[in-house]
Amino acid sequence: MSLRLKLGLWVRMAVALVLTVVSVGILLAAEFALAVVVSIFGAFLMQTFGVALLGLAGVVAVCLLSWVAIVAGLRRMTAPGILARRIDSDPVRKAVQRAGQVVWEPPSLRTIGRGIGLLAGPGVGLILCYQLGFVVLGLDPIRFGIAFGAIIVVCYTGWLVYDELRAAGSVRTQLEDEYDLVADSEQEQTLSRRVQRLAAQAGCPVPEVEIGASRLPQAATVGYRPENSIILVSQGLIESLDDEELDAVLAHELAHLLNRDAAVLTALSFPRSKVQGLVDLMYRWDSSDADILLIPLFVVATPLYVVNRLAVPTVARYREYVADRAAAEVTGNPAAMASALSTLDREYAVRSSTDLRVTWSTAAFGVVAPPWEERKFFDRSTRFLYRRILGTHPRTADRIERLRSQIE
C-alpha cells in the first residue's frame, strides 16, 4: 500500500473513530441519566406498586371465586341451557346459548390461582425488596437508582453488541438467498483452488467459497474473521470475467477479509445501531406514555445518528480503494482489476433489469455499487446524496483511474 493511500485511510479512520467514541460516550451518558431518573422514581414508588398489585390480585380473586360459587349454586338449582330452550327466536336462542356456555363454565381453581399468583407474586416481591433495601438495610434511593441505572445501561448495550454479532448470520442468509446457491462441486473446487492460491500470495487464511445461480455479476464476503468467513460468487460473475479479471475480484474480496473491513465498519456504525435500537424499543413498547421517556434521548441521538451516517461511508468508500490496490498487488496486474470493475459495472446495469430477485439491501457487500435507478424529480441531487455522500462505494470511474495510475 502506498504511503499516500495509507495516510488517507488512517486519517479517515482516526476521524471516524473519534466521532464514534464521542457519540457512544454521549449516548451512554444520556441513557444512564434517563435510567437513573426512572430507577429513582421507581424506588420511591416500589412499595406503592406492590400494594396496588396485591390489591388488584385481591379484587380479581374475589370476582373469580364469586363467579365459581354462583355457577356452582345455579347448577344445583337448574340445568344449563334452560333459559335458551324457552326462547322461540332461533338467532336469539343461539346467542343466549353461546353466552350461557361462557358464563356457565368459569375457569378452574388452578387457573384462578395461577392468575392471582402472577399479580400477587410481583406485588409481594416489590414490597419485600422495598422493606429489605430501604428499611432493613437503609439504602439510599439515589444510590440505588445510580446502581440500577448502570445495570440497565450495561445490559442494554451488551444486548445490542450481541444482536450485532448475531446479525452477521442473517446477512449471510440474505445474501445466500439473493445469490440462489447451487451445488456444483466441480466448479466450487476450481474456484476454491483459485482462492487458495491467492490467499497464499496474500498471506490470508483460506475462506469457504460458495457459488450462486444468479445471473447478476456479484461477489461478496461475509464474516468478521478471515478464518470463519465465506466468499459468495455468482454464476453471472464467473461468466462475465476472464481468468485474470476473476483472480483480481477474488483478491479484492480477500483484501476485505485480511483488513477485517466488516468488523471495522460494524464497530464504527455502533452509534447508529444504538439509535436504531432505541427506535425498535419505542415500537415494542407501543405506549405513548413510555415513548415520552425516550424523547430526551432522541433529541440527543438524532444529531449523533446523522454524524455517524455521514462519517462511516467515507471510511467504507476509501477501504474499497485499499482493497482494489491490494488486489492489484497480489495479482501483480492492476489492469485486470480495472478491467474487471469496468466489466462488472457494465454487466450489472444490463442484467439487473431482468433479474427480479435482486434487492439492494445488501449492496454494501458487492464489488461495485448497483446501477442507479433514474428518478423523475431531483434525480441529480438524490444521486449525489445516496452515491457520493452516503454511498459505500466510490464511483467506478474513480477506482479505475486510481488503478491505471499504478500501471503508469
Side-chain angles (χ1 to χ4, degrees), residues 178 195 205 257 337 365 386:
E178 184 177 312
V195 172
L257 289 181
M337 188 66 220
F365 294 86
Y386 284 100

Side-chain angles (χ1 to χ4, degrees), residues 71 120 126 216 273 283 292 336 338 356 384:
V71 170
L126 288 173
L216 282 172
S273 300
Y283 281 115
I292 291 175
L356 302 179
F384 178 80

Side-chain angles (χ1 to χ4, degrees), residues 312-387:
V312 175
T314 303
V315 177
R317 289 193 297 270
Y318 211 80
R319 292 182 86 88
E320 290 296 326
Y321 288 132
V322 173
D324 288 343
R325 186 176 184 91
E329 291 175 350
V330 169
T331 60
N333 193 352
M337 188 66 220
S339 176
L341 290 174
S342 178
T343 302
L344 292 177
D345 207 41
R346 181 180 63 253
E347 291 295 319
Y348 218 147
V350 172
R351 300 192 187 192
S352 62
S353 60
T354 60
D355 195 322
L356 302 179
R357 294 174 295 107
V358 69
T359 60
W360 304 129
S361 58
T362 54
F365 294 86
V367 182
V368 295
W372 178 256
E373 296 181 6
E374 298 290 338
R375 289 161 169 75
K376 283 187 176 181
F377 304 103
F378 306 109
D379 179 76
R380 182 175 297 180
S381 56
T382 304
R383 181 169 184 160
F384 178 80
L385 174 65
Y386 284 100
R387 280 297 175 84

Side-chain angles (χ1 to χ4, degrees), residues 118-140:
L118 291 174
L119 291 172
V124 172
L126 288 173
I127 293 174
L128 290 177
C129 286
Y130 182 86
Q131 293 296 323
L132 178 63
F134 301 110
V135 178
V136 177
L137 299 178
L139 293 179
D140 183 0

